[in-house]
Coordinates of all heavy atoms in Angstrom, one line a residue:
K409 N 58.4 48.7 173.5 CA 59.2 49.9 173.2 C 58.7 51.1 174.0 O 57.5 51.3 174.1 CB 59.0 50.2 171.7 CG 59.9 51.4 171.2 CD 59.6 51.5 169.6 CE 60.5 52.8 169.2 NZ 60.3 53.0 167.7
E410 N 59.7 51.8 174.5 CA 59.4 53.1 175.2 C 59.7 54.3 174.3 O 60.4 54.2 173.3 CB 60.3 53.2 176.4 CG 59.9 52.3 177.6 CD 60.7 52.8 178.9 OE1 61.5 53.6 178.8 OE2 60.3 52.2 179.9
P411 N 59.1 55.5 174.6 CA 59.3 56.6 173.8 C 60.8 57.0 173.9 O 61.5 56.9 174.9 CB 58.4 57.7 174.5 CG 57.4 56.9 175.3 CD 58.1 55.7 175.7
K412 N 61.2 57.6 172.8 CA 62.6 58.0 172.6 C 62.9 59.2 173.6 O 62.2 60.2 173.7 CB 62.9 58.4 171.2 CG 64.4 58.7 170.9 CD 65.1 57.4 170.8 CE 66.5 57.6 170.3 NZ 67.2 56.3 170.3
K413 N 64.0 59.0 174.3 CA 64.6 60.1 175.2 C 65.9 60.6 174.7 O 66.6 60.0 174.1 CB 64.6 59.7 176.6 CG 63.3 59.2 177.3 CD 63.5 58.8 178.7 CE 62.2 58.4 179.3 NZ 62.4 57.9 180.7
D414 N 66.1 61.9 174.9 CA 67.4 62.6 174.6 C 68.4 62.2 175.7 O 68.3 62.8 176.8 CB 67.3 64.0 174.4 CG 68.5 64.6 173.9 OD1 69.4 63.9 173.4 OD2 68.6 65.9 174.0
S415 N 69.4 61.3 175.4 CA 70.4 61.0 176.3 C 71.8 61.4 175.8 O 72.8 60.8 176.1 CB 70.3 59.5 176.6 OG 70.5 58.8 175.5
S416 N 71.9 62.3 174.9 CA 73.1 62.6 174.3 C 74.0 63.3 175.2 O 73.5 64.3 176.0 CB 72.9 63.5 173.0 OG 72.2 64.7 173.3
G417 N 75.2 63.0 175.3 CA 76.1 63.7 176.2 C 76.3 63.0 177.5 O 77.1 63.4 178.4
N418 N 75.3 62.1 177.9 CA 75.4 61.3 179.1 C 76.4 60.2 179.1 O 76.6 59.6 178.0 CB 74.0 60.8 179.5 CG 73.0 62.0 179.7 OD1 73.4 63.0 180.0 ND2 71.7 61.7 179.5
I419 N 77.1 60.0 180.1 CA 78.0 58.8 180.2 C 77.5 57.9 181.2 O 76.7 58.3 182.1 CB 79.4 59.3 180.6 CG1 79.4 60.0 181.9 CG2 80.0 60.2 179.6 CD1 80.8 60.4 182.4
S420 N 77.9 56.8 181.1 CA 77.4 55.6 181.9 C 77.9 55.7 183.4 O 78.9 56.4 183.7 CB 77.8 54.3 181.4 OG 79.2 54.1 181.3
C421 N 77.2 55.1 184.3 CA 77.6 55.2 185.7 C 79.0 54.6 185.9 O 79.8 55.2 186.7 CB 76.6 54.4 186.6 SG 74.9 55.2 186.5
N422 N 79.3 53.4 185.3 CA 80.6 52.8 185.6 C 81.7 53.7 185.0 O 82.8 53.8 185.5 CB 80.7 51.4 184.9 CG 80.2 51.4 183.6 OD1 79.8 52.5 182.9 ND2 80.2 50.2 183.0
M423 N 81.5 54.4 183.8 CA 82.5 55.3 183.2 C 82.7 56.5 184.1 O 83.8 57.0 184.3 CB 82.2 55.7 181.8 CG 82.1 54.5 180.8 SD 81.7 55.1 179.2 CE 83.0 56.3 178.9
Y424 N 81.6 57.0 184.7 CA 81.7 58.2 185.6 C 82.4 57.8 186.8 O 83.3 58.7 187.3 CB 80.3 58.6 185.9 CG 80.2 59.7 186.9 CD1 80.4 61.1 186.4 CD2 80.0 59.6 188.2 CE1 80.5 62.2 187.3 CE2 80.0 60.6 189.1 CZ 80.2 62.0 188.7 OH 80.2 63.0 189.5
V425 N 82.2 56.7 187.4 CA 83.0 56.3 188.6 C 84.5 56.1 188.4 O 85.4 56.6 189.2 CB 82.5 55.0 189.2 CG1 83.3 54.5 190.3 CG2 81.0 55.1 189.7
V426 N 84.9 55.5 187.2 CA 86.3 55.3 186.9 C 87.0 56.7 186.6 O 88.1 56.9 187.1 CB 86.4 54.4 185.7 CG1 87.8 54.3 185.1 CG2 85.9 53.0 186.1
M427 N 86.2 57.6 185.9 CA 86.8 58.8 185.5 C 87.0 59.8 186.6 O 87.8 60.5 186.8 CB 86.1 59.5 184.4 CG 86.1 58.7 183.0 SD 85.0 59.3 181.9 CE 85.5 61.1 181.7
K428 N 85.9 59.9 187.4 CA 85.7 60.9 188.5 C 86.5 60.4 189.8 O 87.2 61.3 190.4 CB 84.3 61.2 188.8 CG 84.1 62.2 189.9 CD 84.5 63.5 189.4 CE 84.1 64.6 190.4 NZ 84.5 66.0 190.0
Y429 N 86.5 59.2 190.2 CA 87.0 58.8 191.5 C 88.3 58.0 191.3 O 89.5 58.3 191.8 CB 86.0 58.0 192.2 CG 84.8 58.8 192.6 CD1 83.6 58.7 191.8 CD2 84.9 59.8 193.6 CE1 82.5 59.5 192.1 CE2 83.7 60.6 193.9 CZ 82.6 60.4 193.2 OH 81.5 61.1 193.6
F430 N 88.3 56.7 190.5 CA 89.4 55.9 190.5 C 90.5 56.6 189.9 O 91.7 56.4 190.4 CB 89.0 54.6 189.7 CG 90.0 53.6 189.6 CD1 90.4 52.9 190.7 CD2 90.7 53.4 188.6 CE1 91.4 51.8 190.6 CE2 91.7 52.5 188.4 CZ 92.1 51.7 189.5
A431 N 90.3 57.1 188.6 CA 91.4 57.7 187.9 C 92.1 58.8 188.7 O 93.4 58.9 188.7 CB 91.1 58.2 186.5
E432 N 91.3 59.8 189.3 CA 91.9 60.9 189.9 C 92.7 60.4 191.2 O 93.8 61.0 191.4 CB 90.8 61.8 190.4 CG 90.2 62.6 189.3 CD 89.1 63.6 189.7 OE1 89.0 63.8 191.0 OE2 88.4 64.2 188.9
V433 N 92.2 59.3 191.9 CA 92.8 58.9 193.1 C 94.2 58.2 192.7 O 95.2 58.4 193.3 CB 92.0 58.0 193.9 CG1 92.8 57.4 195.1 CG2 90.8 58.8 194.5
L434 N 94.1 57.3 191.6 CA 95.3 56.6 191.3 C 96.4 57.5 190.7 O 97.5 57.2 190.9 CB 94.8 55.5 190.2 CG 95.9 54.6 189.6 CD1 96.4 53.8 190.8 CD2 95.4 53.7 188.5
L435 N 96.1 58.6 189.9 CA 97.1 59.4 189.4 C 97.5 60.5 190.3 O 98.3 61.4 189.8 CB 96.5 60.0 188.1 CG 96.1 59.0 187.0 CD1 95.5 59.7 185.7 CD2 97.3 58.2 186.6
S436 N 97.2 60.5 191.5 CA 97.6 61.5 192.5 C 99.1 61.3 192.8 O 99.6 60.2 192.7 CB 96.7 61.5 193.7 OG 96.8 60.3 194.5
D437 N 99.8 62.4 193.3 CA 101.1 62.3 193.6 C 101.4 61.4 194.7 O 102.7 61.0 194.9 CB 101.7 63.8 193.8 CG 101.6 64.7 192.6 OD1 101.5 64.1 191.5 OD2 101.4 65.9 192.8
I438 N 100.6 61.1 195.6 CA 100.8 60.3 196.8 C 100.6 58.8 196.4 O 101.4 57.9 196.8 CB 100.0 60.7 197.9 CG1 100.2 62.1 198.3 CG2 100.1 59.7 199.2 CD1 99.4 62.6 199.5

């Protein structure tokens, strides 16, 4: 067991990639 860390508000890497890059590019007008 490791000491408890405060990770509230953090999102996972895969969710960040989908939200930041994939979704924005896919929903663009072009």
Side-chain angles (χ1 to χ4, degrees):
K409 181 179 180 180
E410 281 194 356
K412 189 73 174 180
K413 295 182 180 180
D414 185 16
S415 59
S416 59
N418 296 336
I419 61 175
S420 61
C421 298
N422 50 2
M423 293 179 62
Y424 178 79
V425 171
V426 173
M427 294 172 57
K428 183 66 177 177
Y429 298 101
F430 182 77
E432 291 185 2
V433 173
L434 182 63
L435 298 178
S436 63
D437 296 336
I438 299 176

